[in-house]
Amino acid sequence: MRKLVLLFCIIFFLFGLSTFAQTYPLVTVEDIQFQSDSSLLANGDQPSPLNGDTVRVRGTVLVAPLVDPQNDRRVIVWAGAAWNTYIQDENGLVYEMFDGITMRQGDTTGAAQGTFFDLVDTAQVVEFTVVVEEFIETTQGAILVDPVTPVQIISNEPKRPDPIELDISDFYDGQQNVLAEKYEGMYVVVRSGITSDRNVSTGTFRINDGNGNFIYMYDQSGYFTLRGHRLTGLTDYQPPPDGTVLSYIRGVIQTRWGGSAPGYHIIPFYPGDIEISAQPPTISMIRRNLAEVMTNQAVDISASIVDTDGSVDSARLYYRIDGGSFNMIELTSSGGDIYSGTIPGVNSDSALVDYYLWAKDNLGNESKVPPSPDTNPQYFYLVLNRSVTIQDIQYNPFGTDISGYNGYYVTLNGIVTADTSDFPGSGVTAYRIYMQNGTGPWSGIRIGTRGSLSNDVSALAKGDDVSITGYIWDGPISPTFNVTRIDSVSGLTINSQNNPLPDFKVLSTGDIGLAGNGDPTKEQWESVLIKYLNVTVTDENADGPPSNFGEMLVDDNSGETRVELEDGFHSYHNLSDPTRANYIQTGNAFDELGGLLYYSFGNYKLVPRNDNDFVGWVTDVNEENQLPEEFGLFQNHPNPFNPSTIINYNLPVQANVTLKIFNILGQEVKTLLNNEIVPAGEHQVSFNASGLPTGIYIYNLQANDFIQSKKMILLK
């Protein structure tokens, strides 16, 4: 009878959820976005006051999610595989601005398509049911798909709202203006900017006002990108050469305080959202004739220089040695667009030569690549009387995070420090291989698996001493994320096997800290085995809630830094992948945390490879020396749950532990631990029931002679 009553309770609870789904409050965009000036000035950009809430919100669609729902289902505004749009509330008159926000649907498969989000179009006023969440620094609405909740088209406007006229100084006036947060997600236009920092990998650039103020153009739209989400066949976009004068650029504003371009970004959506007034020569395809340069070897530098609205009047190459004064060489063209010049040989071992190119057209418009060569060099090489090493490839003292050998083939030697047993690429784990030469700075590098020798590279094992010939690839976009790799391997020799791995470099968490892309004090440890000692988990979820990207914050009292838990093949998690056994929580501690230093999405982070990189896990710092007095199995939490829950148990002594899950009929449905040796202490195991139906389940613990069972409820 009790089972029957409980079953009715479950059914009633599920019915209640379905009914409640129709009563979410209707709020305005301002309700979600508003922050007072005093709060912004004191605390900076903070999560929405409705963060985590499920609400209904209305606004005018600024960009369609898809090119054509019937004939061309490519997304316009890229957000992974998600559907994405921006809306603006023209009726939000309570506060000044705070009327724009992004809407995103992550699950676009199967029944989730019943939201009909993909059918909305520009200038429609639409009501969305969303969960308010934060992605990095941007507030967004995640379309509710559990249960599937269709969007509602309220009306059709003749056009999208007119953009708000703003100046670059509204966003940056000698420093970032935190009060410009009120424009996040809003449609604006900026006029008469001058471009710089042209990125020929992504299509992004910086927009300057001539007074030191700037914002960035972000390539989220497929019409304005060079990345994989480019709308090929619908756009011929190329980023304007540095020095281009814009008549205007219009789009929505997004804030990004991490990565290599921190600040405010404007996202143009459609062709016509950027108009050029005057364009200087375009300098591209900069190459040197030698990958490795020996002492006294002259180096030929060539580039394509084109002027689309006139002709190239003059072109020059500037170079300097070891940070001295720049020397000028006139470039010559033998016809066509290719210009070249020669840097004389340098009679000095280990000299560093950096260089840039300059051009002027017949109208006097000038361009320079890179645009700030004194402070932001990007093209350089080392003069050596030996073959290059990993350290030479990785070395960059300028903070620009670009290898001097980017785009060239070289041969490197090292010991494999991580293989596909550590990063197998299954589930949420990454697929990576690393090698290292010694233990000092700049000594590690990732090995890519592209090319004809992919299978041979994938078969490498930790401890292999290898010689690899490959292409140095170091770009700002996925899949490199500014992490240098040797890829497209054309030659591979295993010199010996089962060699000892390099020792971990012990660092303080404050040495790496947060953000700081390219900072040589951090960048020197990229792809190197490092470890922290005596760390405490200060935040088990570095990005949420509700977001959780598998990263936590740890601190050894020198400053917080990130640890990435998803990529490696180990048993630890922060609920981003609860199929793993060990749930790390805020307040836990470790005697040691080791792994490889990685960089992605604006942050350096330690990536443990396997369970051996976690040493001395303490789940209760205040009672780390106290062992349980008796065996115990505790009620799971949360309960009811969907789809994951945590099971805690105590062991007063080391024991052989078996933990199994049974359905109400007594049939075994899952084995979490199978006669595994577990040390004395307080322990927890995560159980993920994604593949099981709603119902009552029993979990049974056997530890030596101790046996105990408890019930739990799965509600979907």
Side-chain angles (χ1 to χ4, degrees):
M1 182 66 181
R2 291 176 60 189
K3 296 177 183 176
L4 187 60
V5 171
L6 185 53
L7 183 59
F8 276 118
C9 288
I10 293 172
I11 294 171
F12 179 80
F13 184 81
L14 291 173
F15 178 78
L17 286 179
S18 177
T19 303
F20 181 74
Q22 309 304 316
T23 61
Y24 297 120
L26 178 64
V27 302
T28 66
V29 175
E30 289 182 350
D31 293 330
I32 298 172
Q33 291 282 48
F34 177 72
Q35 298 182 57
S36 67
D37 286 359
S38 59
S39 175
L40 286 169
L41 291 170
N43 306 309
D45 181 19
Q46 296 296 301
S48 166
L50 300 182
N51 189 33
D53 291 354
T54 303
V55 299
R56 294 178 295 133
V57 63
R58 295 176 179 178
T60 305
V61 175
L62 300 177
V63 58
L66 306 182
V67 175
D68 183 339
Q70 298 298 320
N71 303 309
D72 189 344
R73 292 185 61 82
R74 289 180 292 176
V75 298
I76 295 177
V77 179
W78 180 253
W83 295 333
N84 203 71
T85 189
Y86 288 82
I87 65 170
Q88 189 164 306
D89 182 5
E90 291 300 282
N91 297 316
L93 302 176
V94 177
Y95 307 108
E96 181 190 12
M97 307 308 164
F98 296 104
D99 292 318
I101 192 171
T102 178
M103 300 282 108
R104 180 180 185 274
Q105 181 172 327
D107 184 357
T108 61
T109 62
Q113 295 187 6
T115 63
F116 305 115
F117 180 31
D118 54 325
L119 304 183
V120 305
D121 202 359
T122 305
Q124 290 179 335
V125 178
V126 180
E127 180 180 299
F128 302 87
T129 304
V130 300
V131 178
V132 180
E133 64 180 21
E134 299 289 324
F135 178 73
I136 311 179
E137 297 90 0
T138 299
T139 303
Q140 62 186 20
I143 304 298
L144 187 64
V145 295
D146 186 15
V148 173
T149 307
V151 303
Q152 297 185 45
I153 298 175
I154 307 301
S155 63
N156 289 276
E157 300 298 316
K159 63 182 181 65
R160 57 181 175 173
D162 292 330
I164 303 166
E165 296 271 351
L166 294 173
D167 295 324
I168 293 173
S169 58
D170 290 319
F171 300 96
Y172 189 101
D173 192 4
Q175 61 182 1
Q176 300 289 354
N177 178 14
V178 69
L179 298 182
E181 177 68 20
K182 63 187 175 185
Y183 300 117
E184 179 182 274
M186 296 198 68
Y187 184 42
V188 308
V189 61
V190 173
R191 302 185 186 276
S192 303
I194 302 170
T195 69
S196 67
D197 297 74
R198 179 178 190 253
N199 190 314
V200 295
S201 296
T202 64
T204 59
F205 55 90
R206 197 169 92 166
I207 309 156
N208 310 274
D209 67 357
N211 297 314
N213 304 315
F214 60 88
I215 60 172
Y216 295 97
M217 175 272 183
Y218 182 50
D219 67 322
Q220 192 177 15
S221 168
Y223 288 104
F224 294 101
T225 187
L226 302 180
R227 293 193 283 168
H229 61 282
R230 180 180 176 90
L231 293 173
T232 303
L234 299 179
T235 181
D236 58 0
Y237 170 75
Q238 292 293 326
D242 292 340
T244 295
V245 178
L246 301 181
S247 293
Y248 64 80
I249 179 171
R250 62 192 179 205
V252 299
I253 296 299
Q254 194 175 87
T255 52
R256 288 176 173 262
W257 299 116
S260 58
Y264 293 98
H265 295 241
I266 186 168
I267 304 170
F269 291 141
Y270 290 112
D273 281 347
I274 298 177
E275 184 171 288
I276 292 173
S277 174
Q279 185 165 301
T282 301
I283 304 173
S284 62
M285 298 172 57
I286 300 174
R287 300 290 295 175
R288 62 177 187 261
N289 66 321
L290 299 173
E292 301 183 43
V293 181
M294 307 293 285
T295 53
N296 295 314
Q297 272 191 309
V299 178
D300 296 332
I301 306 295
S302 63
S304 170
I305 304 179
V306 179
D307 190 70
T308 58
D309 57 359
S311 60
V312 177
D313 178 70
S314 56
R316 296 171 183 169
L317 165 67
Y318 290 85
Y319 75 94
R320 63 182 175 182
I321 303 170
D322 291 332
S325 300
F326 279 105
N327 304 285
M328 188 270 288
I329 296 172
E330 293 284 353
L331 297 180
T332 59
S333 172
S334 56
D337 302 328
I338 302 301
Y339 289 74
S340 61
T342 301
I343 298 176
V346 177
N347 185 22
S348 176
D349 181 40
S350 299
L352 189 150
V353 179
D354 69 283
Y355 54 95
Y356 71 93
L357 278 73
W358 170 94
K360 183 175 70 172
D361 66 14
N362 60 311
L363 299 176
N365 298 311
E366 299 180 3
S367 58
K368 189 187 300 181
V369 177
S372 304
D374 289 301
T375 58
N376 192 30
Q378 294 181 14
Y379 298 98
F380 64 95
Y381 57 85
L382 294 170
V383 178
L384 304 169
N385 58 11
R386 55 170 174 78
S387 298
V388 295
T389 64
I390 295 174
Q391 287 86 341
D392 301 321
I393 301 303
Q394 289 282 37
Y395 181 65
N396 182 324
F398 305 115
T400 52
D401 191 29
I402 296 291
S403 170
Y405 297 84
N406 185 37
Y408 298 93
Y409 275 88
V410 299
T411 298
L412 299 177
N413 300 297
I415 303 293
V416 176
T417 54
D419 57 28
T420 55
S421 70
D422 302 309
F423 301 108
S426 58
V428 298
T429 64
Y431 190 68
R432 298 181 193 148
I433 303 163
Y434 291 85
M435 69 176 180
Q436 191 168 322
N437 172 18
T439 58
W442 313 105
S443 60
I445 194 168
R446 183 176 170 185
I447 307 171
T449 55
R450 299 189 176 202
S452 60
L453 296 181
S454 173
N455 291 337
D456 296 322
V457 172
S458 298
L460 290 173
K462 288 195 293 288
D464 287 349
D465 183 320
V466 296
S467 299
I468 294 179
T469 300
Y471 180 83
I472 300 301
W473 188 12
D474 190 359
I477 59 174
S478 177
T480 60
F481 287 118
N482 283 110
V483 176
T484 308
R485 64 168 70 177
I486 182 168
D487 211 331
S488 301
V489 175
S490 60
L492 171 60
T493 301
I494 300 177
N495 303 310
S496 60
Q497 295 179 302
N498 300 315
N499 294 283
L501 303 191
D503 292 334
F504 288 96
K505 173 64 178 181
V506 178
L507 298 177
S508 298
T509 56
D511 291 335
I512 302 302
L514 303 169
N517 183 29
D519 181 344
T521 63
K522 304 178 182 185
E523 184 68 18
Q524 63 184 334
W525 304 114
E526 176 190 280
S527 300
V528 175
L529 286 172
I530 66 169
K531 69 179 175 182
Y532 307 127
L533 304 179
N534 302 316
V535 297
T536 300
V537 179
T538 55
D539 192 336
E540 66 190 72
N541 181 0
D543 298 290
S547 298
N548 188 344
F549 303 113
E551 299 183 10
M552 64 180 182
L553 297 177
V554 301
D555 194 347
D556 62 3
N557 294 320
S558 66
E560 290 182 323
T561 193
R562 287 183 177 239
V563 177
E564 212 291 336
L565 295 171
E566 288 187 349
D567 289 354
F569 190 67
H570 52 73
S571 60
Y572 294 85
H573 71 94
N574 69 342
L575 290 183
S576 71
D577 180 20
T579 60
R580 307 188 190 201
N582 299 317
Y583 172 31
I584 300 174
Q585 300 182 63
T586 301
N588 289 181
F590 290 89
D591 293 339
E592 298 180 8
L593 272 180
L596 292 147
L597 187 66
Y598 189 62
Y599 178 88
S600 65
F601 296 107
N603 290 287
Y604 287 95
K605 57 203 68 174
L606 175 69
V607 182
R609 301 162 298 171
N610 51 52
D611 280 340
N612 294 329
D613 286 342
F614 299 82
V615 178
W617 181 31
V618 179
T619 57
D620 189 336
V621 176
N622 295 322
E623 300 180 7
E624 58 182 293
N625 296 319
Q626 299 181 19
L627 292 176
E629 296 181 356
E630 58 185 15
F631 289 95
L633 178 65
F634 303 96
Q635 189 62 52
N636 65 300
H637 60 92
N639 188 47
F641 67 97
N642 178 29
S644 299
T645 189
I646 300 298
I647 299 170
N648 292 79
Y649 64 94
N650 286 353
L651 302 178
V653 295
Q654 178 177 292
N656 290 74
V657 177
T658 297
L659 180 59
K660 294 185 177 182
I661 310 296
F662 300 87
N663 62 21
I664 199 65
L665 300 177
Q667 299 167 324
E668 181 181 329
V669 297
K670 184 78 172 181
T671 298
L672 301 179
L673 297 170
N674 187 17
N675 199 35
E676 295 185 19
I677 298 175
V678 180
E682 300 175 353
H683 301 278
Q684 54 187 211
V685 177
S686 175
F687 169 48
N688 186 298
S690 296
L692 298 175
T694 292
I696 301 171
Y697 291 86
I698 298 167
Y699 54 103
N700 175 268
L701 176 74
Q702 297 183 41
N704 293 349
D705 296 328
F706 174 81
I707 300 176
Q708 189 173 358
S709 299
K710 287 185 177 292
K711 294 179 181 179
M712 56 185 171
I713 301 173
L714 171 63
L715 284 176
K716 291 191 172 181

